[in-house]
Amino acid sequence: MEEKKFVNESLNRKKVIVRTSLLGIFVNIILSAGKALVGVFTKSIAVILDAVNNLSDALSSLVTIIGTKLGARLPNKKHPLGFGRIEYLSALVVSAIVIYAGMTSLVESIKKIIHPEKAEYSLVSLIIIGVAVFVKLILGLFVRSKGKKVKSTALTASGVDAMFDAILSSSVLISAVIYMLTGFSLEAYVGVVISGFIIKSGVELMIETVNDILGQRADAETVKKVKALIREEEGVRGAYDLIINNYGPEKNYASVHVEVPDTMTVDQLDQLTRKLEAKVYLNTGIVLTAVGVYSYNTQDDSAIEIREKVNSIVKENEWAMQVHGFYVDQKSKYMRMDVVVSFSIRGGEAAQIITRQLKEAFPDYAILVTPDVDVSAL
């Protein structure tokens, strides 16, 4: 059931993004036209500016569609992992549009404070603006929810922008009502405040998108799920060093180490890794590009005691987070292990310290310590 759900979501994702964006374009063009007419007849710069802002939202939706279409292109010789990251670039463009809209609003609002103009609002114009506020708020909530559902940063950004636009429009409406009742104009001052929030939203969205492009730590829940799927298999005692590389929404490639008995044959390992690759992909959509192995002792009971002692010595260092991949050959006097260390110390330095500590406890052994970085949730 879970596998079928994942496949269906992957197939429908792009359709959802395109349809939602087309709806956004249609609604924003209608709203822009209505507000432009109201702005011209009432001589309100704030309303005209709001109309222009709606056009920028339509442009954002268009950029989202283009990004989704380009990101769906099939891989080729030059780009064997596809074009999924283009969606992040489109989200970056949308964020820039949001910031530009906020800056434009800020400039125009300041101009109106310095050179105030008398507006001529009517009941009809207020009703039109009120309806536009309601429609824009509903559209923003709808687009944002769809964006989160299909994990589209660009679509989510468009939804958030639409919600801020609704707040901006409502401030214009409230200012218009106050002006009609008291003759005192507040819309320019309110516009400055709202513009600040719009700019802040755009900057936050841009930072989030840049982080996606640079690469972030994998989601903790995803890491736990993948490791749990791997540990379910018979003979697998642990899953470590999971690295997930993202090449666009729903395009994740990963590598992992599994801890298996030292008695497994190459043929058994081959069958296991193929099974794990299929299982992880069908349940999460993540492609396991590489499955490395750690062997653990099964034929020497005293190895357990040595492992516990080694673990105790290593954990005396506060920066040592985990020991895994431990194996000891008492006949050859050799032991090896991986140690996950925090970002507070360099891997090479950590390996030297741990090797020195273990040499004091096991002077006759050759010791290999491989430092690991905590790239995913343990």
Side-chain angles (χ1 to χ4, degrees), residues 111-171:
K111 284 181 179 179
K112 196 164 185 183
I113 291 174
I114 299 173
H115 304 291
E117 295 183 11
K118 184 178 180 181
E120 299 175 359
Y121 293 105
S122 66
L123 181 60
V124 174
S125 64
L126 295 183
I127 292 174
I128 294 175
I129 296 174
V131 171
V133 170
F134 178 76
V135 172
K136 193 70 174 182
L137 181 61
I138 297 300
L139 176 67
L141 290 170
F142 176 75
V143 173
R144 187 183 67 168
S145 66
K146 288 293 184 180
K148 289 185 175 181
K149 184 177 181 181
V150 299
K151 298 180 181 178
S152 169
T153 306
L155 203 60
T156 303
S158 295
V160 172
D161 185 33
M163 293 171 64
F164 273 113
D165 286 346
I167 297 174
L168 177 61
S169 297
S170 65
S171 69

Side-chain angles (χ1 to χ4, degrees), residues 18 43 82 107 123 151-152 185 204-205 215 219 227-228 248 254 270 277 327 335 350:
V18 172
K43 299 179 182 178
V107 170
L123 181 60
K151 298 180 181 178
S152 169
S185 178
E204 289 175 347
L205 292 169
D219 176 66
K227 289 186 175 181
D270 182 34
E277 289 168 0
Y327 190 84
M335 67 173 69

Side-chain angles (χ1 to χ4, degrees), residues 161-192:
D161 185 33
M163 293 171 64
F164 273 113
D165 286 346
I167 297 174
L168 177 61
S169 297
S170 65
S171 69
V172 174
L173 177 62
I174 294 171
S175 299
V177 172
I178 293 175
Y179 178 76
M180 292 180 68
L181 294 176
T182 67
F184 185 70
S185 178
L186 287 174
E187 64 176 21
Y189 297 95
V190 174
V192 170

